[in-house]
Amino acid sequence: MDATRGLRHLIHIGEDFRRTSAKRLGIASSDFVALGHVYWEGPALPRELGALLDMGSGTVTAVLDRLEKRGYITRTAHPTDRRSLLIVITRKGREAMDVVYGEFDVALRQALEGVGGEEDAAALGNMLERLSDAAAEAIAANLAPRSEGPGQAAQERR
């Protein structure tokens, strides 16, 4: 299995983790992504979550309503902008995500034990960080809007 195929497979496993975790928490996959963002990054504006999820304000409101109904987030007044709300993870939300990510980390550690020692795991961690940064840049560059349609540039070069 070449590296790109292996990485795609790993990403697919991560997507399965997200879907399964969302089901366990009784929420939709997109809700899990929003909750994960607030869990990792801290309080967020609804429009920030909308941009992250590529959703309009009405759809984001529905996501937030579902998360709030489950007790995973609260909407609080923004400290410096009276017109804005901040989305904040609750204690219940943090505890739920701690469990979900804790179990995932255990599974990953067990998988790493099967393929190498601590030094190998540390080296892999460093490589994955560099790869993630480089891939994010390359993907962003390749997904940037273009003025030409798919395949048009290749046809023009012929």
Side-chain angles (χ1 to χ4, degrees):
M1 182 181 294
D2 72 344
T4 56
R5 185 169 170 218
L7 288 169
R8 281 195 317 270
H9 183 71
L10 185 60
I11 290 166
H12 181 73
I13 298 298
E15 290 169 350
D16 286 345
F17 159 75
R18 182 185 68 230
R19 281 190 296 277
T20 303
S21 298
K23 280 184 184 178
R24 286 180 56 202
L25 297 179
I27 58 179
S29 188
S30 57
D31 302 356
F32 185 81
V33 174
L35 183 59
H37 181 74
V38 177
Y39 175 79
W40 291 110
E41 303 298 326
L45 297 169
R47 70 176 167 266
E48 292 172 333
L49 292 175
L52 175 74
L53 299 169
D54 195 25
M55 293 179 178
S57 63
T59 307
V60 170
T61 298
V63 167
L64 298 177
D65 287 347
R66 289 189 300 268
L67 289 172
E68 193 168 43
K69 183 178 179 183
R70 290 271 183 200
Y72 295 138
I73 58 113
T74 59
R75 299 171 194 173
T76 63
H78 192 285
T80 59
D81 183 353
R82 293 182 309 161
R83 299 168 295 160
S84 295
L85 294 174
L86 277 179
I87 309 309
V88 179
I89 194 166
T90 62
R91 180 183 203 178
K92 179 181 177 180
R94 181 157 300 286
E95 288 171 355
M97 296 300 275
D98 285 346
V99 167
V100 166
Y101 281 112
E103 291 171 353
F104 191 59
D105 287 351
V106 167
L108 289 175
R109 279 191 204 96
Q110 289 172 345
L112 286 171
E113 287 173 6
V115 296
E118 255 183 67
E119 284 183 28
D120 289 341
L124 177 61
N126 289 329
M127 184 187 318
L128 288 172
E129 283 293 323
R130 290 192 323 265
L131 178 61
S132 295
D133 293 342
E137 289 177 24
I139 289 168
N142 285 319
L143 295 180
R146 297 187 177 136
S147 58
E148 56 200 34
Q152 186 175 349
Q155 289 175 352
E156 290 174 1
R157 286 192 294 263
R158 290 184 194 153

